[in-house]
Amino acid sequence: MAARRGTDEMRERVVLGEFGVRNVHSTDFPGNYPGYDDAWDQQRFEEEFRVDVVGEEDGVLEFDMVGIDAAIANAFRRILLAEVPTMAVEKVFVYNNTSIVQDEILAHRLGLIPIRADPRLFEYRNQGDEEGTEIDTLQFQLKIKCSRNPQAAKESSDPNELYFNHKVYSKHMTWVPLGNQTDLFPDADFRPVHDDILIALLRPGQEIDVLMHCVKGIGKDHAKFSPVATASYRLLPDITLLQPIEDEAAETLQKCFSPGVIEIQNIKGKKVARVANARLDTFGREVFRHEGLKNLVRLARVRNHYIFSVESTGILPPDVLVSEAIKILMGKCQRFLNELDAVPME
């Protein structure tokens, strides 16, 4: 029975020790463990696999993906980062720029401003096409000039009082419809995601007049097309108290973990520690600094339980990004199957 428990731990848990990490590699491949059927079975996978949405707040979606291997989890993360398309500024036509910001730097700053436009409404621009059409290009204009405020007090030194339009923000970018885009998108509100992104500072007489072309692209080509600020995952923590921990030791143990992980209960006049919510822990391994505690706690992570956190840049909601990433992953799988079918069998 003890051997069986040790094998199950090796297969299902990544164990964090004082000086290292054990069981980091997946070993549950067919034939590796006598008495275990590790052959891949679709029905068993469908029964064990699940996605649990934990919550969404301020453009951040947290969900659990259970029953998959690290390779699949990482493929999903990389697709979110680099293969879900968005719209971003690709071409900047500078008609006038007398600010202190060089044309190249200005174009680079404009390219990194996230544009609120659903990329599913557009096609990819053909390579070599410089003009763009209504089905593959969004056009924005930034035209602004700084001037003095004649009503400003003479003793004032505040630029906000002295000048008009001395700060150029993303809100000054306006959509200029191409072709029949007004008819194609009658209810569209194409604009930067955030209105308060500072682009440049001007002084009286300086002005910026540029035209921008936004095209559809993916983060693999340039980071400006990445739809997420962060897309990460971690394994579900699993904390086990190997024996009762009471009184002062319980209070010390509570301080070793993130708030909410360990709670102290009063049982028959004694303070007793228990694991309240292991999910909140970040595994600082502070407990290993205490000689009286380090052998009383087992720190592990569940090997096939991934906690995903997806933070959108605001171009699309995070739940839509996850849905699009799943579609892309399914497309990759289908292409792989088609390639296998096309290989002649000997």
Side-chain angles (χ1 to χ4, degrees), residues 1-12 27 33-34 36:
M1 183 63 70
R4 179 83 178 190
R5 283 199 302 268
T7 302
D8 288 341
E9 179 184 284
M10 189 181 303
R11 289 161 51 85
E12 300 171 1
T27 56
Y33 295 101
Y36 289 87

Side-chain angles (χ1 to χ4, degrees), residues 234 237 239 241 250-251 253-265 273-283:
R234 61 190 178 98
I239 302 172
L241 303 184
E251 294 179 348
L253 180 70
Q254 187 180 43
K255 295 176 182 178
C256 291
F257 293 91
S258 304
V261 176
I262 302 294
E263 72 174 11
I264 297 178
Q265 297 178 324
R274 66 175 289 270
V275 180
N277 188 356
R279 183 189 185 93
L280 299 176
D281 192 43
T282 56
F283 279 130

Side-chain angles (χ1 to χ4, degrees), residues 83-125:
E83 297 190 50
V84 176
T86 64
M87 302 292 288
V89 174
E90 178 71 8
K91 298 287 185 181
V92 178
F93 302 94
V94 182
Y95 294 101
N96 194 5
N97 175 25
T98 56
S99 72
I100 63 170
V101 182
Q102 295 94 333
D103 293 351
E104 296 85 352
I105 303 300
L106 177 63
H108 184 263
R109 291 179 67 84
L110 293 171
L112 293 175
I113 295 175
I115 304 298
R116 179 164 292 170
D118 192 336
R120 295 170 294 183
L121 302 175
F122 298 89
E123 303 292 336
Y124 287 100
R125 182 186 280 193

Side-chain angles (χ1 to χ4, degrees), residues 239-251:
I239 302 172
T240 306
L241 303 184
L242 303 178
Q243 67 182 57
I245 301 176
E246 301 172 346
D247 298 328
E248 186 178 341
E251 294 179 348

Side-chain angles (χ1 to χ4, degrees), residues 19-30:
F19 300 110
V21 184
R22 305 196 309 272
N23 310 336
V24 294
H25 302 293
S26 296
T27 56
D28 53 347
F29 47 85

Side-chain angles (χ1 to χ4, degrees), residues 7 42 57 61 68 71 135 170 202 212 225 254 274 326:
T7 302
Q42 182 173 342
E57 185 178 1
L61 176 68
I68 57 172
I135 63 171
S170 52
L202 302 179
M212 294 156 277
F225 291 112
Q254 187 180 43
R274 66 175 289 270
I326 291 173

Side-chain angles (χ1 to χ4, degrees), residues 61 63 65 76 80 310 317-327:
L61 176 68
F63 63 94
M65 195 174 284
F76 186 70
L80 278 168
V310 178
D319 58 320
V320 174
L321 295 179
V322 170
S323 176
E324 291 300 305
I326 291 173
K327 292 177 183 177

